[in-house]
Amino acid sequence: MINKSLLLTYLYLLIYILLSSGVILYNKWVLSPKYFNFPHPITLTMIHMGFSGAVAFFLVRVFKVVSPVKMTFEIYATCVIPISAFFASSLWFGNTAYLHISVAFIQMLKALMPVATFLMAVICGTDILRCDVFLNMVLVSVGVVISSYGEIHFNVVGTVYQVTGIFAEALRLVLTQVLLQKKGLTLNPVTSLYYIAPCSFVFLFVPWFLLEKPGMEVSQIQFNFWIFFSNALCALALNFSIFLVIGRTGAVTIRVAGVLKDWILIALSTVIFPESTITGLNITGYAIALCGVVMYNYLKVKDVRASQLTPESIAERAAKDWKLEKKSSDIFVPHSSNNNNGGSGGGNGSASDLIVDEEAPLIPSSRLSHIGRTQLSGHA
């Protein structure tokens, strides 16, 4: 019998991979002068933000599908505005890169995302500089350098745009953790778009007015309503799919799915866009970088699991276990000849006498694992 919940999870993962790959390929096709020929990345990003903000407004205010969070002017000015600025910047720089470099090379450069996030977290004080993580970052960087060296159609401008967009996105993620979480504010995809999309639209208006508007001629713009509507709809659906995947699986699973998506996207881009040529050095460098990314994800998962076993939680659970065992020993009075030793042996035995599952990720409610016993004795 097929597990329906597991099947639904795989379906959400498949939808996320398809939507994520589809949006990237769709943006490349729309922006590329060789295809749809709409070389205005800021305009395209503003269309996405305007559409997403409008849909979020109707869902929150008109249909009341989602309730708005308690937003004060102080929170909006100190949290939402900075996050929106870096969000708009990451989208602007990332979409502009499509004009200069291939989709495959862009995905290889995105392997730098853990490096950028780690550096921004260290600078902002949300993470510490560790030797093991630093070595992983060096491995990722070396892999990306090798991949860049093997790129046939290497373009400095496109590479700078993409790397800048990566660091802007990393700073946005860190600011979201620092600013919003410290305020105790949690935003789902709908409320995030409701507050952030309009503000990002305003930020994008300034570079659009200065950089793109002077060179835009209405007579030369190839505008197709259904193309832009479907493109914006795919971008909106991608945000919702990420929320669904994380809600059913977790951030670790979506990272693994993201790695799989990158490989699929690199393969698809070479088929859809023949000019995207991949060399052996590209693949070698990306494989090296990917090893560093996988190790980084493993270390982060390890840190999360270790943080769940804090000394306080271990001590509290040990106290609860002792009380439960004491109650059971008080209730149970054995009728054996060893009555004097039965109580101590049954209810107050040492922790090392317990038979536990050493591989269990969480400490059972009635027993302490080997990890828990070790940490508890160490902190005693």
Side-chain angles (χ1 to χ4, degrees):
M1 184 176 179
I2 300 176
N3 190 329
K4 293 183 179 180
S5 179
L6 185 62
L7 187 62
L8 193 61
T9 300
Y10 286 142
L11 179 61
Y12 285 158
L13 284 171
L14 179 62
I15 292 174
Y16 160 72
I17 292 174
L18 292 177
L19 282 174
S20 182
S21 304
V23 168
I24 292 173
L25 295 173
Y26 205 169
N27 288 345
K28 173 67 175 180
W29 182 82
V30 170
L31 294 170
S32 177
K34 296 182 180 180
Y35 299 96
F36 187 72
N37 192 21
F38 187 78
H40 306 291
I42 303 178
T43 306
L44 183 65
T45 308
M46 289 179 69
I47 292 174
H48 290 174
M49 291 296 98
F51 180 79
S52 299
V55 171
F57 176 82
F58 279 100
L59 291 176
V60 173
R61 292 298 181 184
V62 179
F63 300 107
K64 300 187 183 302
V65 177
V66 180
S67 300
V69 299
K70 186 178 179 181
M71 181 67 65
T72 64
F73 177 79
E74 187 264 339
I75 294 177
Y76 193 86
T78 59
C79 300
V80 175
I81 291 180
I83 291 172
S84 301
F86 287 105
F87 182 55
S89 300
S90 65
L91 295 176
W92 166 24
F93 294 136
N95 285 335
T96 305
Y98 291 121
L99 298 175
H100 305 281
I101 54 181
S102 66
V103 174
F105 186 49
I106 286 175
Q107 296 308 119
M108 295 177 188
L109 289 176
K110 284 183 179 180
L112 286 172
M113 191 64 193
V115 179
T117 306
F118 176 68
L119 291 177
M120 292 298 104
V122 171
I123 292 174
C124 294
T126 61
D127 206 340
I128 58 175
L129 189 62
R130 292 166 41 187
C131 182
D132 52 354
V133 178
F134 179 75
L135 291 177
N136 282 328
M137 299 301 99
V138 172
L139 183 63
V140 173
S141 303
V142 170
V144 172
V145 169
I146 294 174
S147 180
S148 302
Y149 183 77
E151 176 65 17
I152 296 177
H153 305 290
F154 182 80
N155 185 284
V156 177
V157 176
T159 303
V160 170
Y161 267 117
Q162 183 59 44
V163 173
T164 306
I166 289 172
F167 275 89
E169 174 66 11
L171 190 54
R172 180 191 73 86
L173 294 174
V174 174
L175 285 179
T176 301
Q177 180 183 359
V178 172
L179 299 178
L180 290 183
Q181 291 184 3
K182 283 189 176 180
K183 299 289 184 180
L185 194 64
T186 303
L187 300 178
N188 59 45
V190 177
T191 52
S192 296
L193 294 175
Y194 176 74
Y195 292 109
I196 294 176
C199 191
S200 298
F201 183 90
V202 174
F203 275 108
L204 289 169
F205 180 82
V206 177
W208 174 81
F209 185 81
L210 297 176
L211 300 176
E212 286 193 358
K213 183 180 179 298
M216 294 178 66
E217 296 183 10
V218 179
S219 59
Q220 296 180 354
I221 295 178
Q222 184 181 355
F223 186 83
N224 187 312
F225 172 79
W226 294 110
I227 292 292
F228 290 103
F229 175 76
S230 59
N231 183 261
L233 188 63
C234 288
L236 179 66
L238 175 60
N239 288 321
F240 292 151
S241 70
I242 293 174
F243 173 71
L244 290 175
V245 171
I246 293 179
R248 292 195 65 88
T249 59
V252 177
T253 303
I254 203 171
R255 284 179 177 179
V256 176
V259 172
L260 178 61
K261 179 261 301 180
D262 290 340
W263 282 107
I264 294 174
L265 194 53
I266 290 173
L268 284 177
S269 64
T270 58
V271 176
I272 299 175
F273 306 109
E275 67 274 9
S276 301
T277 306
I278 299 179
T279 63
L281 205 55
N282 280 140
I283 298 298
T284 302
Y286 185 62
I288 294 174
L290 200 59
C291 290
V293 172
V294 171
M295 287 300 300
Y296 173 78
N297 290 336
Y298 169 75
L299 289 175
K300 298 303 289 184
V301 172
K302 189 177 178 181
D303 291 342
V304 171
R305 289 181 176 177
S307 65
Q308 294 175 350
L309 298 175
T310 57
E312 292 79 5
S313 62
I314 295 173
E316 290 174 359
R317 293 190 182 191
K320 290 181 180 179
D321 295 339
W322 182 81
K323 289 179 181 179
L324 289 174
E325 291 174 0
K326 187 176 185 301
K327 287 182 180 180
S328 62
S329 64
D330 292 339
I331 296 173
F332 176 69
V333 180
H335 298 282
S336 62
S337 59
N338 296 329
N339 190 26
N340 294 332
N341 297 328
S344 61
N348 300 326
S350 63
S352 60
D353 295 332
L354 298 175
I355 302 174
V356 296
D357 182 8
E358 301 285 345
E359 300 297 326
L362 298 177
I363 299 180
S365 59
S366 61
R367 294 174 179 177
L368 273 176
S369 67
H370 174 71
I371 299 176
R373 294 196 306 270
T374 304
Q375 294 188 6
L376 183 61
S377 61
H379 289 283

